[in-house]
Amino acid sequence: MKRLRRLLGHYSAMAIDIRFCERENLPAMTIPPKSIRGMFIVFLLLFLLVVALSPLAFFLTERHHTHVSLTERLESILNLQVAFFSRWYLANLEEIRAIAGISSVENRDLEAMYRDFLRFAESRKDLAGVAYVDEEGRFLVDSSLGIRPENSPDLRDREYFQAAHRGEEFITPPLVGRVSGNTLILFSVPVFRQGTFDGLVLGSALLENLAHLIGKMHFGETGRFLLYDGMGHLLSGPKASERIFGTNLAEDPRAHPLLTGRKGSLLLQGKDERGEHYYRLLTFLEGRDLILGAEMTLGEYQQSTTRMVRFSILSVTLFAALGVLFFLLLFSRMSRALSTLLAGVSAVGEGNYTKYPSETVERLPQELGTVALAVDDLKERVQVAMQQLRERSLQDSLTGLANRTLFEEEMHRHGTGRFDPVTVVICDLDGLKLVNDTLGHAWGDELIRKAASLLQNTFRAADVVARIGGDEFAVLVPFSSPETEKRMMLRLEEALSLHNAPEGHLPVLFSWGMRTGKTAERSILELFKDADEIMYAQKDEHRKKAREAILKFFLYRIHEEEKNRKDHMKNCAVIMEDFISTIPEFEPVFRERLIRLAAWHDIGMVGIQPGLLAKTEPLSEEEFVEIRRHPEIGHRIALAVPALFDIAEGIRCHHQWWNGEGYPAGGRETSIPLESRIMTLVDAFESMTNRLYKPRLSPGEAREEIRRCAGTQFDPEWAERFLRFASRKFDLP
């Protein structure tokens, strides 16, 4: 304390020096700025407040821990006692099974049976009596009433008799005996003779014996067990004058939640007759119509922690005093350095990741200079992490749906069982690769966006719709059912049908798989795997349908949007048919293939920008490069469509030149398929006589151009045969 007073006096002297320096206009180099001093006071007050609140926080935490621990202990003890009850019931039932198997019962010797029953009842302290009931529901032998007692009741309407008639053993809830007036528990075992129901052996146990046994059991110094009947009446434990469930009981015990629910557990707190606070845990024994409880005082449980609490409070107090002293000593030397560091760290919160100037770091104490360098390194890492965080957005940038990261988080959340049953839907977009390869990725992206919109509009707002791959979507449907699954399938099929009905729409086709289940029984990953396998099985069936639908869309584009290209292929088919009719050595199959090649050779143009095909002026070099892609695109389309598979290579090579030039590069002379060499002649002749971006040539001029390019662009042999055909067809000299 003396040291603390001297330090505070030192700060008072510093304040006087500040006023003197300000009055004399002298620099005050040894005093921290006022804002730092104010910050010091705030931090000191906060520190003292935190230290002052620490004992309270410790007390509340320890109180909560005591509550949880005591509850867990009572629950553990109560579970052991419930297990004891189960063993008690099974032991008595086993006794009755043994009685049912003795020879006097098997032989139905009533005299011997009575003697045996009487001996069993006297030797077994848990059994109040043993009786034999015949198949008509009448007592034949009763250890208490003798053989064929008078006024024997008809037991055929009793639940245990009906269970015995079905061959089932039965244990009744507590019943009040008609003769003795005691509360009994009956144990019933059926007796069959030569496969026919012959009656039952009925044993009775006094509930008072069980209650007395429970009442004598204790744990710890104050721990005891309580037993109530099904209506909440106390059978063992506290005195009868105590209220049935303690001080928290409503006036009508039957309105208590433990009785109305007939299941579960209930924790009660109150004060006993000595004024000590106790915890009482009650549980309903299902099927037994009994309530079992365990009780323990709080004081006994807290004895072991009282010394620890006192020691902790003393330690916190000492720590507070030492902390204040250390804080005052440290502040006088490090305030300026901390202000510098704080300014740099605060700038990070505003998005400023500029490093400390080197001269500033050099002026700092050695230890804080190291901290400044570490902060600079941290700034750089935070900047990189923030950039990565922005890149890993939880939203798919193309569709606006949840991305795979968010979907995996939702998978984990939906797999906790709180949303059961859950349906997992896996959808794979059919034909996306064909669209990307032919029309380009812009069309593919548009197809993905349409598919995403269709899924989002089909499912509910509460469902999680995500894009988890390039052409793969997934949906999580909480609180689902088999009926919900059927409705979802119908909605999805209807939405696809409505979207794909107009011819001008790029078709959206899905292969999908669904699986509904409870994650408490099967993990969400297993449901996902099942749905994925169903989807892949369906995808094999849908592949041909997807190719045909996309090909139909390609034809629509050519016929409706690119009329000039359609006319070109139609004219080529006519020229080809006329030309090959002059070639007698061709087989009919090859003739038919050549005609189909002429009619489809420019199918790859569907993947070219529509504006290029409509241009009437000459194309630029970049535009011509784009046009040159169409043979490869057409080749991929033909490979994907069985009806065009045999002309795929002819489509790919129909712009290759005889001398190795042309496109795509690589073909030369006889390595070029014959149908492509013939197609090159037909295509060139039709294009020259009907082209848009250059002046059209007459048939004679086109003939001379082919003759000039024979041996370079065209196969010289077939060029000569085509020239003879063109001369005859167009009456050229």
Side-chain angles (χ1 to χ4, degrees):
M1 294 300 295
K2 290 182 180 180
R3 173 62 177 168
L4 182 60
R5 284 196 294 270
R6 286 198 301 270
L7 190 59
L8 292 176
H10 172 68
Y11 274 98
S12 298
M14 288 170 58
I16 295 173
D17 291 343
I18 293 173
R19 290 194 294 271
F20 175 78
C21 292
E22 290 176 349
R23 186 170 60 249
E24 299 297 330
N25 294 323
L26 297 176
M29 300 298 295
T30 60
I31 303 174
K34 293 181 180 180
S35 59
I36 298 296
R37 186 166 63 250
M39 188 178 297
F40 160 72
I41 295 173
V42 171
F43 280 133
L44 182 59
L45 292 176
L46 289 175
F47 175 76
L48 293 175
L49 178 62
V50 170
V51 171
L53 291 177
S54 295
L56 177 60
F58 181 82
F59 171 75
L60 294 176
T61 302
E62 187 63 29
R63 181 179 179 182
H64 173 71
H65 175 72
T66 300
H67 171 82
V68 173
S69 299
L70 183 52
T71 303
E72 291 177 350
R73 182 176 180 184
L74 288 176
E75 184 177 359
S76 176
I77 293 173
L78 194 58
N79 288 337
L80 292 175
Q81 196 66 2
V82 170
F84 166 77
F85 262 69
S86 298
R87 291 194 297 272
W88 183 86
Y89 274 92
L90 290 176
N92 282 285
L93 184 61
E94 187 63 35
E95 291 281 354
I96 303 305
R97 288 197 196 107
I99 295 172
I102 62 178
S103 60
S104 59
V105 174
E106 292 180 351
N107 299 328
R108 207 166 185 177
D109 185 345
L110 302 186
E111 294 290 342
M113 194 186 304
Y114 174 70
R115 291 192 299 271
D116 291 338
F117 284 5
L118 190 60
R119 185 175 67 256
F120 273 111
E122 292 174 350
S123 62
R124 304 302 196 272
K125 61 181 181 179
D126 287 338
L127 293 179
V130 183
Y132 186 87
V133 179
D134 65 11
E135 69 275 10
E136 298 297 329
R138 301 289 182 180
F139 283 96
L140 290 183
V141 177
D142 189 304
S143 63
S144 300
L145 302 178
I147 300 173
R148 299 187 187 276
E150 296 181 359
N151 300 322
S152 174
D154 187 352
L155 303 181
R156 286 179 294 177
D157 60 342
R158 302 296 196 272
E159 189 175 0
Y160 55 82
F161 181 86
Q162 296 173 358
H165 201 278
R166 295 193 300 269
E168 300 172 0
E169 297 174 342
F170 194 83
I171 302 176
T172 70
L175 304 173
V176 178
R178 294 187 177 183
V179 178
S180 65
N182 296 324
T183 303
L184 304 172
I185 299 174
L186 302 182
F187 300 84
S188 170
V189 175
V191 176
F192 284 83
R193 183 171 285 105
Q194 295 180 354
T196 304
F197 176 67
D198 193 54
L200 59 94
V201 175
L202 191 65
S204 59
L206 286 174
L207 185 60
E208 295 176 358
N209 294 342
L210 180 60
H212 179 69
L213 179 62
I214 293 298
K216 293 192 300 182
M217 294 182 179
H218 296 276
F219 56 94
E221 296 180 3
T222 62
R224 58 186 177 181
F225 294 101
L226 313 168
L227 185 63
Y228 304 88
D229 64 13
M231 292 302 297
H233 299 112
L234 186 63
L235 300 175
S236 71
K239 297 179 181 179
S241 61
E242 184 177 346
R243 298 181 70 178
I244 296 175
F245 280 134
T247 57
N248 292 337
L249 178 66
E251 293 183 2
D252 183 3
R254 290 170 298 181
H256 200 280
L258 190 65
L259 297 179
T260 56
R262 282 295 194 258
K263 60 181 179 179
S265 300
L266 179 68
L267 179 66
L268 299 175
Q269 301 181 47
K271 291 186 178 181
D272 59 15
E273 60 274 8
R274 295 173 296 178
E276 293 190 16
H277 190 83
Y278 68 81
Y279 275 58
R280 182 178 297 169
L281 184 64
L282 303 173
T283 185
F284 192 88
L285 302 176
E286 294 188 39
R288 305 293 181 243
D289 204 23
L290 292 172
I291 300 173
L292 181 62
E295 177 184 294
M296 187 177 188
T297 61
L298 184 62
E300 178 187 353
Y301 191 79
Q302 287 182 324
Q303 288 178 359
S304 61
T305 60
T306 302
R307 183 176 300 175
M308 182 183 298
V309 172
R310 292 176 181 174
F311 177 77
S312 300
I313 293 175
L314 180 61
S315 300
V316 169
T317 304
L318 180 61
F319 170 75
L322 294 175
V324 171
L325 179 61
F326 175 77
F327 199 80
L328 291 172
L329 292 172
L330 184 64
F331 173 77
S332 62
R333 297 182 180 182
M334 303 183 65
S335 59
R336 290 184 182 275
L338 290 175
S339 298
T340 302
L341 292 176
L342 182 62
V345 174
S346 300
V348 175
E350 301 173 358
N352 183 3
Y353 302 100
T354 305
K355 294 185 177 181
Y356 294 108
S358 58
E359 58 272 20
T360 300
V361 176
E362 292 174 358
R363 287 197 300 266
L364 295 175
Q366 182 178 358
E367 296 81 1
L368 292 183
T370 304
V371 173
L373 294 176
V375 171
D376 282 341
D377 182 65
L378 181 61
K379 288 179 182 179
E380 184 176 354
R381 295 186 183 185
V382 170
Q383 188 174 14
V384 173
M386 291 297 293
Q387 181 64 28
Q388 292 176 348
L389 185 62
R390 284 191 290 270
E391 293 174 356
R392 292 183 58 203
S393 172
L394 296 179
Q395 188 180 54
D396 180 58
S397 59
L398 179 61
T399 64
L401 300 179
N403 65 5
R404 189 178 189 92
T405 301
L406 180 56
F407 181 77
E408 289 177 351
E409 295 178 3
E410 289 295 326
M411 281 264 291
H412 178 74
R413 190 169 69 92
H414 281 69
T416 59
R418 294 186 291 119
F419 303 89
D420 283 345
V422 177
T423 295
V424 180
V425 185
I426 307 297
C427 299
D428 197 271
L429 186 58
D430 294 325
L432 178 62
K433 185 177 186 303
L434 181 58
V435 172
N436 281 332
D437 291 344
T438 54
L439 300 181
H441 286 277
W443 280 85
D445 291 347
E446 182 61 23
L447 180 61
I448 292 173
R449 282 191 289 267
K450 287 181 179 180
S453 176
L454 189 146
L455 287 175
Q456 201 165 28
N457 294 332
T458 300
F459 290 91
R460 305 170 303 184
D463 302 335
V464 179
V465 183
R467 182 187 177 207
I468 61 175
D471 57 356
E472 194 169 9
F473 298 82
V475 186
L476 294 175
V477 183
F479 307 114
S480 185
S481 66
E483 291 74 20
T484 308
E485 183 176 338
K486 293 178 182 178
R487 288 197 299 270
M488 286 188 296
M489 291 180 65
L490 291 175
R491 286 203 307 267
L492 186 57
E493 290 173 353
E494 182 179 359
L496 289 172
S497 178
L498 289 175
H499 175 82
N500 296 329
E503 289 187 30
H505 283 187
L506 182 62
V508 177
L509 299 169
F510 281 121
S511 297
W512 68 81
M514 296 184 184
R515 179 65 73 197
T516 302
K518 294 183 178 180
T519 57
E521 300 171 356
R522 299 188 68 207
S523 70
I524 193 75
L525 292 177
E526 290 177 324
L527 297 179
F528 182 95
K529 182 179 179 182
D530 289 351
D532 196 53
E533 290 176 354
I534 295 172
M535 181 273 292
Y536 271 108
Q538 192 181 90
K539 191 170 184 66
D540 291 336
E541 301 174 2
H542 288 190
R543 186 172 285 109
K544 180 179 179 181
K545 181 180 178 182
R547 289 196 301 259
E548 293 174 353
I550 294 173
L551 180 61
K552 183 178 179 181
F553 172 73
F554 290 163
L555 295 177
Y556 177 86
R557 284 202 68 205
I558 291 176
H559 291 171
E560 297 299 324
E561 300 179 16
E562 299 168 9
K563 187 175 183 301
N564 292 330
R565 186 58 49 184
K566 179 192 70 173
D567 292 341
H568 167 71
M569 291 192 294
K570 182 178 179 180
N571 293 339
C572 285
V574 172
I575 295 173
M576 180 67 77
E577 185 174 6
D578 291 341
F579 174 55
I580 62 176
S581 65
T582 66
I583 312 298
E585 64 265 27
F586 284 170
E587 296 291 335
V589 174
F590 189 73
R591 292 171 183 270
E592 188 272 340
R593 187 195 304 172
L594 284 172
I595 296 173
R596 280 192 294 114
L597 174 61
W600 292 96
H601 70 283
D602 275 346
I603 184 65
M605 288 294 184
V606 298
I608 306 303
Q609 300 176 17
L612 293 182
L613 303 178
K615 288 187 68 173
T616 57
E617 63 272 13
L619 301 177
S620 66
E621 182 61 29
E622 293 78 14
E623 292 171 338
F624 200 71
V625 170
E626 175 69 11
I627 290 290
R628 286 179 173 180
R629 293 177 53 243
H630 81 271
E632 291 285 0
I633 295 174
H635 177 255
R636 288 193 291 268
I637 294 175
L639 290 177
V641 180
L644 304 179
F645 186 85
D646 59 339
I647 62 172
E649 190 63 17
I651 292 175
R652 190 181 75 86
C653 300
H654 77 275
H655 277 292
Q656 288 184 341
W657 286 18
W658 179 255
N659 64 357
E661 297 181 2
Y663 55 91
R668 182 175 177 84
E669 300 182 352
T670 56
S671 66
I672 304 173
L674 175 58
E675 55 265 37
S676 298
R677 286 179 268 157
I678 297 174
M679 187 66 238
T680 301
L681 290 163
V682 174
D683 183 45
F685 186 85
E686 202 287 330
S687 297
M688 286 187 289
T689 56
N690 290 284
R691 59 191 178 187
L692 299 176
Y693 53 89
K694 286 184 179 180
R696 296 182 180 182
L697 301 181
S698 65
E701 293 171 334
R703 182 187 64 175
E704 294 305 315
E705 183 66 17
I706 290 176
R707 180 175 286 116
R708 186 181 66 83
C709 296
T712 55
Q713 181 177 354
F714 307 113
D715 182 341
E717 176 185 352
W718 284 98
E720 186 61 27
R721 300 182 74 169
F722 184 84
L723 291 175
R724 290 197 298 269
F725 156 75
S727 298
R728 290 194 301 271
K729 180 175 179 61
F730 298 100
D731 296 325
L732 300 177

